[in-house]
Amino acid sequence: MGDSGSSLPIIVSVLALVIAIIAVILGAVSLSQKGTNNYIIGGGDGGSSAGSTGAQTDGINDDDDRIWVVAIGHAAESLEYIDELSGQIEGFDVDIVNAVCRIAGKNCRFSADVYTRCWDSQVGEAQRGGVGLYSGFYDACTGWFHTYLRDRTFQFSDPFSTIEGEKVGFFVKPGNPRNFTYQDISGKKIGFLDGYSSDESCVARQDIQGVPIPPENVIHYLDREQLVAGIQNEEVDAGFDPVVYLKDSDMVEVIPGFTAQCAIAGQSMMMRKDNTMWEWWNPAFAKLRASTEYKRICRDLLEQHGHFPGPSPEEHCFDY
């Protein structure tokens, strides 16, 4: 009896060790399964959880374990913004990336960065790809509109939005104290958002007098708040920006009678030409677009993200 009692703790210890080893093995097998990786970056899932109604995970081209890194900014608009409570980047673009990566069964991670590391536009210099995308800091930049200049440098996925919401106009200080007219902008200083599709090359393609604008009359701003301040302070005669973002502002007013279209396709994933992300992104987005989930993501432009300015679902989404 004494020997049997003394061996009991040893037996219990051995059993516990065996159970622990089995648990480790099962855990390793579980982690190795495709489609189980956490693809969501941000404070929430933007309403696009895997259990939602619509397109589900189907593992399109689910043949690797690599992490696909995509750059994203925060322009204080409904497409991309910083959530005050979570401190994370949220918006339509985040919802789209989360959904497409889930459908494709891919590991996707956002890398927050300034827009100029995706596309750089300096006054008086040739526009060019940003150092982040050129150098492979990430696989793609999120939500960039397809333009003629960018097409010469990078490739684009199929667009996940229309270009209706990106109609561009001239904005001036209320009352138009500098008597700006779009018919002739000779000698006028024009403000632009650095790196945006609504740039000076877009103005140069318009049938108006005074183009192309000489470099000394081109002023670039890093964000929309600075652009509005430049118009208010009369550093520029007018700003050139998509109408949807400033149409309701009491700080500026749009010049009537003129709109331009600067992009040739809607929001897309912008990649280096040697990157293969489009091979799985395009079929996965096609499945998302055909689902009710895409409609819900579009509806969330107003219901979840409408506290920031931006396009309406009708302006921005396909078949809405």
Side-chain angles (χ1 to χ4, degrees):
M1 292 293 293
D3 290 341
S4 174
S6 63
S7 65
L8 183 59
I10 296 175
I11 295 173
V12 172
S13 298
V14 171
L15 288 173
L17 179 61
V18 171
I19 292 171
I21 292 173
I22 293 173
V24 170
I25 293 172
L26 290 175
V29 171
S30 174
L31 287 174
S32 69
Q33 298 301 308
K34 298 291 195 295
T36 60
N37 301 289
N38 178 21
Y39 61 88
I40 293 177
I41 313 300
D45 63 3
S48 302
S49 63
S52 63
T53 303
Q56 302 298 312
T57 304
D58 66 0
I60 294 173
N61 288 336
D62 187 10
D63 56 0
D64 64 70
D65 290 319
R66 70 171 285 184
I67 293 176
W68 296 84
V69 180
V70 297
I72 194 165
H74 45 87
E77 57 193 40
S78 60
L79 305 181
E80 301 171 357
Y81 63 91
I82 295 180
D83 181 75
E84 293 182 358
L85 293 179
S86 68
Q88 301 296 324
I89 298 176
E90 304 289 357
F92 175 86
D93 292 354
V94 174
D95 296 345
I96 287 288
V97 172
N98 283 340
V100 172
C101 289
R102 187 198 71 246
I103 293 167
K106 297 298 183 181
N107 295 314
C108 296
R109 298 290 185 268
F110 286 120
S111 178
D113 210 344
V114 294
Y115 291 119
T116 52
R117 290 188 179 171
C118 287
W119 185 259
D120 198 4
S121 174
Q122 301 294 326
V123 177
E125 298 181 12
Q127 296 187 40
R128 55 195 179 273
V131 65
L133 194 52
Y134 259 144
S135 302
F137 294 175
Y138 17 78
D139 293 285
C141 292
T142 305
W144 284 74
F145 285 86
H146 194 164
T147 68
Y148 296 101
L149 288 177
R150 294 171 186 170
D151 186 71
R152 297 204 298 256
T153 304
F154 295 128
Q155 64 175 335
F156 292 80
S157 70
D158 291 342
F160 51 83
S161 77
T162 72
I163 55 177
E164 289 304 305
E166 288 297 303
K167 289 182 178 177
V168 181
F170 288 105
F171 289 85
V172 296
K173 188 174 181 178
N176 194 10
R178 300 179 72 85
N179 297 316
F180 179 86
T181 63
Y182 71 84
Q183 291 92 344
D184 187 352
I185 62 172
S186 302
K188 302 295 184 181
K189 289 191 174 184
I190 311 297
F192 301 90
L193 286 175
D194 191 49
Y196 275 57
S197 59
S198 50
D199 56 19
E200 54 268 36
S201 68
C202 180
V203 175
R205 296 195 299 271
Q206 308 308 312
D207 185 20
I208 56 180
Q209 295 295 315
V211 296
I213 308 170
E216 62 269 20
N217 287 339
V218 174
I219 308 296
H220 278 200
Y221 297 95
L222 293 179
D223 57 45
R224 195 162 280 113
E225 183 178 353
Q226 292 182 12
L227 173 62
V228 170
I231 297 171
Q232 277 281 312
N233 298 332
E234 299 187 27
E235 296 172 353
V236 293
D237 294 280
F240 193 65
D241 196 41
V243 174
V244 295
Y245 299 109
L246 294 175
K247 64 182 179 181
D248 297 323
S249 172
D250 57 2
M251 303 289 286
V252 294
E253 63 182 39
V254 65
I255 293 293
F258 173 89
T259 57
Q261 190 57 262
C262 296
I264 57 178
Q267 280 192 290
S268 309
M269 304 303 287
M270 185 170 70
M271 302 156 280
R272 285 182 9 165
K273 294 197 174 184
D274 60 352
N275 193 283
T276 60
M277 182 176 173
W278 63 272
E279 293 180 354
W280 58 262
W281 176 280
N282 287 351
F285 173 70
K287 184 168 185 177
L288 174 65
R289 180 177 171 179
S291 73
T292 58
E293 185 177 6
Y294 179 70
K295 291 288 194 299
R296 180 169 50 75
I297 290 173
C298 292
R299 188 171 65 246
D300 282 348
L301 264 171
L302 293 180
E303 294 184 0
Q304 298 295 326
H305 312 306
H307 52 297
F308 280 89
S312 68
E314 293 80 6
E315 291 170 320
H316 200 63
C317 292
F318 295 110
D319 310 317
Y320 193 86

